[in-house]
Amino acid sequence: MGKFKRRWEKELDSLTYSLDREFLPEEKSNISIEKKTPFYKRKKFISVGALSFALTLILTFVLTFSLVQPKRHESAFVVEINPAVVFVLNEDGEVSSLTAINSDADVIVSLKETEEKVIGKNADDALKNYVDIVMQYGFINQENGATVRISTDDKDLKVDGLCDTVKDFLCEKGIMNVVFGKNLSTDDFCDLIGVVRSEEGSTVEKINSLPTLYAEKVAQKEDVEVLKEEYFQTVIKSVVAEYVLALIDRDPILQGILENVSFSDIDKENYIDTFNSIFAFMDAIINLDWLSPMLELPESADDYVQMSKNSMAFRQSYLKDKNQAEYDKQKTPISKESADEYLQSIIAEYGSLDNYWNIQK
């Protein structure tokens, strides 16, 4: 037994010595500890699969959004109040041009104020500014109300929204109104504007090819005799006659002398004598010699355009002066309910807004 015990102690000592040498460092040895790089400084790698998946998601989103959102395109609409004007919108929905389609529209379109407040504005702001200018120059009767029609051949253009913009603006100004929209065929829209429908070119391209002013458009396509008649009707019988009658109406003495004066029956053969006789009576009170150049008839297309522009400048000054006091009056806003009731009463009386429009215009 003693022999076995000594043998077992010897083997145990041998094993303990071996473990000490393997796992316990010597006192003089240096211990090396691995330094790990902080996680925020480590290089990060994205697998090719993950990158492809992310790009696929982005591309899918972009394509889906492009398909859902319709691509904008140039469009056009006509606002008829008298004046009648074509608005062209660019791809960003901003007004890029205005084109006059009657002689009254030339007065508004040729204003610097119109260019500054309408061109480059979005459709809603441009419409409000345009209607405000039309009011300022007396083309909207603020006592009797306003009738406005907005037409287009573009199915993507929200005509009802444009009508609501004008309606709300007029209600805020205290003006009772009938505002409605028309979606026309391209043929009817071209007829309204005065362009020839063809397979080549869009409606907007045809509008952009027109002169800005109605007078310039007329001068391009009519002969001199037609231009003389046009000038006589739109300037002499309208602008000059209106101005002379307004002068008579302002002066009690002239009213007594010229109370039965009328220009409704004058024609190109006798109008000079009619105006000269009236001017002779008025000369003691007001000299109208400066009006004489406006009583001449154009002898060429160039004459017609220049003389029409001169009459526009005169009419702008006269109309703004005449209507400024009425424009400046503060009016009580009209509620949407009152405006809707008025609209329904018009439909009930005339059968439709189209019938009402045709009678009014």
Side-chain angles (χ1 to χ4, degrees):
M1 184 69 180
K3 185 177 179 180
F4 174 79
K5 182 178 179 182
R6 285 193 298 274
R7 183 180 175 184
W8 180 80
E9 290 176 348
K10 184 177 180 181
E11 289 180 0
L12 183 61
D13 291 341
S14 173
L15 179 61
T16 303
Y17 175 78
S18 175
L19 289 172
D20 289 343
R21 291 181 63 86
E22 184 174 355
F23 293 102
L24 297 178
E26 296 181 2
E27 291 182 4
K28 294 183 180 181
S29 64
N30 295 324
I31 299 174
S32 167
I33 300 175
E34 181 183 357
K35 293 184 179 180
K36 294 184 178 181
T37 304
F39 74 92
Y40 56 86
K41 292 185 178 180
R42 297 175 194 167
K43 293 183 179 179
K44 299 174 180 63
F45 296 95
I46 301 174
S47 68
V48 174
L51 183 59
S52 299
F53 179 71
L55 291 174
T56 301
L57 284 178
I58 294 171
L59 184 59
T60 301
F61 174 78
V62 170
L63 289 175
T64 302
F65 185 78
S66 299
L67 291 173
V68 172
Q69 296 293 324
K71 185 179 179 181
R72 284 185 172 179
H73 57 271
E74 287 186 309
S75 57
F77 60 91
V78 172
V79 178
E80 295 173 272
I81 304 172
N82 194 40
V85 170
V86 189
F87 285 65
V88 172
L89 302 179
N90 60 25
E91 294 176 351
D92 296 322
E94 298 171 343
V95 176
S96 58
S97 70
L98 293 176
T99 302
I101 55 176
N102 65 10
S103 57
D104 284 333
D106 280 350
V107 175
I108 301 299
V109 170
S110 59
L111 286 166
K112 183 69 174 175
E113 180 183 4
T114 303
E115 180 182 355
E116 293 172 348
K117 293 185 177 181
V118 176
I119 303 298
K121 302 293 189 295
N122 64 60
D124 289 333
D125 288 342
L127 270 174
K128 287 185 283 189
N129 291 342
Y130 173 78
V131 173
D132 190 50
I133 294 169
V134 169
M135 286 172 51
Q136 190 173 357
Y137 284 81
F139 288 102
I140 288 177
N141 189 316
Q142 299 191 51
E143 294 298 327
N144 297 335
T147 303
V148 183
R149 184 173 75 170
I150 301 177
S151 308
T152 187
D153 70 336
D154 192 328
K155 296 178 181 178
D156 296 327
L157 193 61
K158 307 295 185 184
V159 178
D160 289 344
L162 299 177
C163 290
D164 287 342
T165 295
V166 175
K167 185 184 302 183
D168 291 345
F169 178 78
L170 290 171
C171 285
E172 288 174 8
K173 294 292 183 179
I175 300 174
M176 196 60 78
N177 59 83
V178 174
V179 183
F180 67 106
K182 293 285 290 184
N183 287 102
L184 302 176
S185 68
T186 299
D187 285 341
D188 289 342
F189 191 62
C190 287
D191 286 343
L192 177 61
I193 297 167
V195 296
V196 178
R197 171 77 193 279
S198 68
E199 298 301 324
E200 296 181 3
S202 66
T203 305
V204 170
E205 288 173 336
K206 294 181 186 304
I207 294 168
N208 288 336
S209 69
L210 294 173
T212 299
L213 299 179
Y214 178 74
E216 294 173 330
K217 176 186 172 184
V218 172
Q220 286 181 354
K221 65 177 186 178
E222 304 293 356
D223 62 34
V224 174
E225 289 305 312
V226 174
L227 295 179
K228 286 181 178 181
E229 180 63 28
E230 180 74 16
Y231 184 84
F232 175 74
Q233 294 294 336
T234 60
V235 177
I236 295 173
K237 198 172 179 178
S238 177
V239 176
V240 179
E242 179 187 352
Y243 179 68
V244 171
L245 289 174
L247 290 177
I248 294 172
D249 192 51
R250 291 178 187 174
D251 192 290
I253 298 175
L254 291 177
Q255 285 181 20
I257 299 172
L258 302 168
E259 59 180 345
N260 296 319
V261 166
S262 171
F263 294 101
S264 59
D265 296 330
I266 63 172
D267 55 38
K268 290 203 303 294
E269 282 66 44
N270 66 19
Y271 80 93
I272 287 291
D273 292 337
T274 302
F275 275 101
N276 284 339
S277 63
I278 293 172
F279 288 176
F281 282 107
M282 298 177 69
D283 192 52
I285 298 172
I286 182 170
N287 186 289
L288 295 176
D289 289 344
W290 60 273
L291 270 178
S292 295
M294 291 180 65
L295 296 176
E296 298 175 4
L297 293 175
E299 296 297 331
S300 67
D302 288 342
D303 281 350
Y304 172 79
V305 172
Q306 188 56 55
M307 292 169 71
S308 295
K309 288 181 178 179
N310 292 342
S311 74
M312 286 174 219
F314 162 72
R315 197 176 180 198
Q316 286 164 354
S317 175
Y318 163 62
L319 288 176
K320 188 170 185 180
D321 241 13
K322 175 186 174 184
N323 295 287
Q324 193 65 51
E326 183 65 25
Y327 174 79
D328 290 337
K329 284 182 182 178
Q330 295 296 318
K331 297 185 179 296
T332 304
I334 295 169
S335 68
K336 187 178 184 301
E337 291 74 22
S338 296
D340 289 340
E341 287 176 9
Y342 178 69
L343 182 66
Q344 292 306 315
S345 71
I346 293 294
I347 295 173
E349 182 177 352
Y350 292 90
S352 70
L353 292 175
D354 285 331
N355 290 341
Y356 175 71
W357 176 264
N358 292 332
I359 292 171
Q360 294 295 308
K361 300 301 177 182

